[in-house]
Amino acid sequence: MAKKHALNMPLPQTEKLRVTYERQEQTLRITWQGDVSSQELREGYNQIIELVRRLKPVKWQLDLQKRGTIKREDQRWIFEHVFPEVLAIVNDDVFVAVVLPVFLMHDLVSELNGDELMQEGNFLIMQHFMYPEQAQRWLNEMYQIKTGSNV
């Protein structure tokens, strides 16, 4: 479970990536915007992984509404390397609410076989939303079902 504590490390911030941790909601919010190169994407996710090592967040809101499309190999890298590493670090189920237009969701998950979203009995559970508020409600509901808590 994500612990409530002071955040003593810088959060990744560039003109294309903004990361915040909402302590009250216990949610890691990641917002990408603009055209993102392979290098920017990989550097950004590597910084996010370092943050995950510290916070171990199980609730993520990934806002891709304003991000340009990325290369298919970069998308595969996220699913094959980032998400399995996150599952190993957090060592719990991780709920990811993806905020993006409906017509882009198919491209995001079309090539997955599901193995990328499992790690030693823990799952990365991903759901698509049109609006951040819907995404947060779902995250809170899933967390409450899993833990019996109200955060």
Side-chain angles (χ1 to χ4, degrees), residues 63-114:
D63 189 338
L64 306 177
Q65 295 179 92
K66 296 178 183 172
R67 187 194 73 188
T69 56
I70 61 172
K71 295 178 184 171
R72 194 164 298 283
E73 57 264 22
D74 290 335
Q75 190 65 55
R76 285 219 60 82
W77 178 81
I78 294 167
F79 282 101
E80 291 176 355
H81 298 284
V82 174
F83 288 151
E85 187 168 354
V86 164
L87 279 170
I89 292 167
V90 173
N91 195 29
D92 199 350
D93 294 335
V94 176
F95 300 95
V96 179
V98 181
V99 181
L100 81 166
V102 123
F103 66 91
L104 293 176
M105 187 62 186
H106 176 72
D107 286 343
L108 184 68
V109 297
S110 63
E111 292 185 15
L112 295 180
N113 64 23

Side-chain angles (χ1 to χ4, degrees), residues 48-71:
I48 290 165
I49 286 171
E50 289 308 310
L51 185 60
V52 168
R53 285 186 205 287
R54 172 137 184 162
L55 298 174
K56 297 185 178 15
V58 298
K59 296 192 297 185
W60 292 40
Q61 193 175 128
L62 184 56
D63 189 338
L64 306 177
Q65 295 179 92
K66 296 178 183 172
R67 187 194 73 188
T69 56
I70 61 172
K71 295 178 184 171

